[in-house]
Amino acid sequence: MTLRNIPFEKGALDTMIDRLCITMNSMDKEWSKKIEPASQNQIQSLREILKQHGSSIPLAYLLFLQTMGMNDNGLLEQEWDGYSEVNSNTLLENYIVGYDDLISDGFLPFSFHWTDVILSMKLSGSDNPPVYSNCHDELFSGSFEKYLFQMAFRKAKNTLFLYHIHCAASTERFRDILAKKTVQNFSWTKPVELMEALLKPYQLQKAWFSDDAHFYGISSEYLISVNLYCTPNITIFSDSHTVLQNMKKSLTYLFGDFPSPILSNIQ
């Protein structure tokens, strides 16, 4: 799939880094020249830590470390408010001071925020494990590979469109949505399945890196991003103020009121 001539290609896991570099270089042709791999000593240190717990580095994360573990040129740092620590130095320093217990619980922390929010991969033997928040009870992303491309997509959607509108539904508001007759007519087991069903009339192209916590849909005039982590957050992006106003009217009856479209920060 493409977004404004930026490719987001799906492929075998061993091609993940090449595909990611093609995506990011389409936004910044110098991007891949600025990434830095973790050192072999750092990777071996992590291997030894995991070996003590009967685990190994998942392939998807190993590929990341070998190409951009020291510096991913801002890709994962943009999570939350842009101050997440993801480099291999921070990773090993944090394990030394006490995150070893998370590995004992079967999780590999890889992203650390100053508010103590931690993102971890679930060490389940998968080459491409899912990502969870620090409490391990909330799915954050369907796989580490999907998380990388979700963050690439985040950079693209935040910089390629002139306008966006955003609506965040509280837990109580989401219960109200679920109680509506229009929702009760659908068959679903996961919130993301419900969102897909509700948005089906808009004939959106679903991004391959959508998962149980995210839905990304693209049309010729706008993009819809749904984040279901904690509470539903829905954002619509477009270059047309009129298109967003029409979408606002169309979706208000389902999700509540949207604010007026605002000018995006185009870089």
Side-chain angles (χ1 to χ4, degrees), residues 155-193:
K155 182 175 179 61
K157 65 185 176 62
N158 286 340
T159 57
L160 294 180
F161 294 93
L162 287 176
Y163 302 99
H164 70 274
I165 51 175
H166 174 256
C167 173
S170 65
T171 302
E172 292 75 16
R173 174 59 191 159
F174 195 49
R175 290 197 187 103
D176 292 340
I177 293 171
L178 298 183
K180 286 189 175 184
K181 291 183 179 179
T182 51
V183 171
Q184 294 170 354
N185 292 332
F186 295 113
S187 175
W188 58 278
T189 57
K190 301 174 182 178
V192 71
E193 293 174 348

Side-chain angles (χ1 to χ4, degrees), residues 125-257:
S126 170
D127 286 337
N128 193 15
V131 175
Y132 284 78
S133 65
N134 49 327
C135 295
H136 309 321
D137 57 357
E138 289 283 351
L139 180 70
F140 202 83
S141 184
S143 71
F144 185 69
E145 177 191 24
K146 286 190 174 184
Y147 181 61
L148 293 179
F149 279 90
Q150 287 166 2
M151 295 302 282
F153 198 71
R154 173 174 171 171
K155 182 175 179 61
K157 65 185 176 62
N158 286 340
T159 57
L160 294 180
F161 294 93
L162 287 176
Y163 302 99
H164 70 274
I165 51 175
H166 174 256
C167 173
S170 65
T171 302
E172 292 75 16
R173 174 59 191 159
F174 195 49
R175 290 197 187 103
D176 292 340
I177 293 171
L178 298 183
K180 286 189 175 184
K181 291 183 179 179
T182 51
V183 171
Q184 294 170 354
N185 292 332
F186 295 113
S187 175
W188 58 278
T189 57
K190 301 174 182 178
V192 71
E193 293 174 348
L194 172 62
M195 288 295 175
E196 287 187 48
L198 291 172
L199 296 172
K200 187 175 181 179
Y202 298 94
Q203 298 182 329
L204 300 164
Q205 178 190 6
K206 178 183 175 182
W208 65 266
F209 44 83
S210 298
D211 53 35
D212 287 347
H214 305 85
F215 173 78
Y216 303 99
I218 302 172
S219 81
S220 59
E221 294 186 302
Y222 58 88
L223 177 153
I224 293 182
S225 171
V226 181
N227 185 339
L228 293 166
Y229 175 71
C230 292
T231 60
N233 285 269
I234 304 163
T235 311
I236 310 172
F237 300 82
S238 179
D239 281 338
S240 171
H241 193 277
T242 301
V243 166
L244 286 195
Q245 290 287 18
N246 291 336
M247 287 298 295
K248 173 183 174 182
K249 294 176 183 177
S250 177
L251 293 174
T252 292
Y253 82 101
L254 287 175
F255 303 113
D257 193 26

Side-chain angles (χ1 to χ4, degrees), residues 72-138:
D72 65 9
N73 197 11
L75 179 64
L76 301 189
E77 285 85 349
Q78 65 181 321
E79 189 62 82
W80 311 118
D81 57 2
Y83 293 97
S84 293
E85 293 279 355
V86 298
N87 66 72
S88 50
N89 281 342
T90 300
L91 181 77
L92 293 174
E93 288 172 2
N94 282 334
Y95 289 165
I96 291 172
V97 299
Y99 286 101
D100 191 66
D101 58 331
L102 291 176
I103 301 179
S104 298
D105 292 336
F107 289 88
L108 173 60
F110 68 89
S111 177
F112 307 85
H113 190 255
W114 63 272
T115 58
D116 293 330
V117 177
I118 303 168
L119 297 182
S120 304
M121 281 167 276
K122 189 172 184 178
L123 293 169
S124 58
S126 170
D127 286 337
N128 193 15
V131 175
Y132 284 78
S133 65
N134 49 327
C135 295
H136 309 321
D137 57 357
E138 289 283 351

